[in-house]
Amino acid sequence: MPIPEDVTGDEIDKDVRQELQSLPKTLAEDVARNLVMVARLIDEDPEGAYGYSRVALRLASRVAAVREAAGFAAYANQKYSEALAEFRAARRMTGTVELWPVMADCERGLGRPEKALDMAGAPEVHKLDKAGQVEMRLVAAGARRDMGQLDAAIVTLQSPELASNSVQPWTARLRYAYADALLAAGREREAREWFAKAVEADRDGSTDASDRLAELDGVEFVDALAEDETDEPSEADESAEAVEASEATEAAESTEAAEAAEASETAEATEAAEATEVTEAAESTDASPEDGDKD
């Protein structure tokens, strides 16, 4: 797959670059450039990111960072079975538990929420950092909702992190998930309150909390661009107007032609009448001397 010339491979994290040092230099550079493309495209073009991840995987399948990148690219494309296999491979290579929450979410994606809940209660969770534990809580709540256990999902999300007034990278998503669970349970007033709190914490627009809040308040957004496009005449309208203008022109020209023809006929008739009068006058003049002779 083509890679822009401005992508050198030096953009990757230093830890990943260190992993790639086990490869020949040229190969390491190729793998690094493909990994950069995965990171660059995964949010806006998941399919493109997936393609680059497969290239990197073909070049260096024994590098943990490559397996992890391939897992996230597959996950972004909802290829949960493939993603889970890649995450498990990366975990075996590194021995870390950082991927535990996303592995559990893959189980949810495969229709196995019970398995995700088992993972949420596993000893590995205690080895996660705070961000990882919050992520695991979100996955567990999602699994509860998959099983139709709305009240249990709400309780799962109730935590010190949710009650805290400090804003952390996970705060907006945690508050949003709690508000969404409350709304699903029919607790609209509380849901509105937590959607508002999610908006306060969502500094980078990672959720659509503001839209959900506006929806609860009955606010409708109007797309100004769509209005402008509606106001502008379409090609069909312009075509119809052109046809009408053409027909009007033809009608006017036809009317003018008819009036001209009528005027021409009138002029000819007038000329004919005048010629007749002249002829009669001449004949009358010629007849007068003969009458005098008779006298």
Side-chain angles (χ1 to χ4, degrees), residues 165-176:
N165 291 324
S166 66
V167 175
Q168 303 295 332
W170 60 78
T171 303
R173 292 178 59 240
L174 184 58
R175 292 177 180 179
Y176 182 93

Side-chain angles (χ1 to χ4, degrees), residues 195 199 208-221:
F195 275 127
V199 170
D208 64 344
S210 59
D211 293 339
R212 300 292 299 277
L213 182 61
E215 184 180 345
L216 286 174
D217 289 340
V219 177
E220 294 184 5
F221 293 100

Side-chain angles (χ1 to χ4, degrees), residues 6-90:
D6 65 316
V7 176
T8 64
D10 293 334
E11 301 89 343
I12 61 174
D13 185 81
K14 65 178 182 179
D15 292 335
V16 177
R17 190 181 302 114
Q18 189 171 6
E19 278 192 66
L20 296 178
Q21 288 180 355
S22 61
L23 304 173
K25 183 177 180 181
T26 302
L27 180 59
E29 290 176 355
D30 289 341
V31 174
R33 295 180 73 205
N34 278 280
L35 291 180
V36 171
M37 293 304 297
V38 173
R40 180 177 291 187
L41 298 177
I42 196 163
D43 291 328
E44 297 181 359
D45 182 11
E47 290 185 7
Y50 180 76
Y52 285 105
S53 75
R54 300 308 295 177
V55 174
L57 191 61
R58 187 173 66 251
L59 295 174
S61 61
R62 295 186 179 182
V63 176
V66 172
R67 303 302 291 265
E68 183 176 329
F72 278 109
Y75 179 80
N77 284 275
Q78 300 182 359
K79 299 178 182 292
Y80 298 116
S81 180
E82 184 177 328
L84 184 57
E86 297 300 339
F87 289 142
R88 284 173 174 168

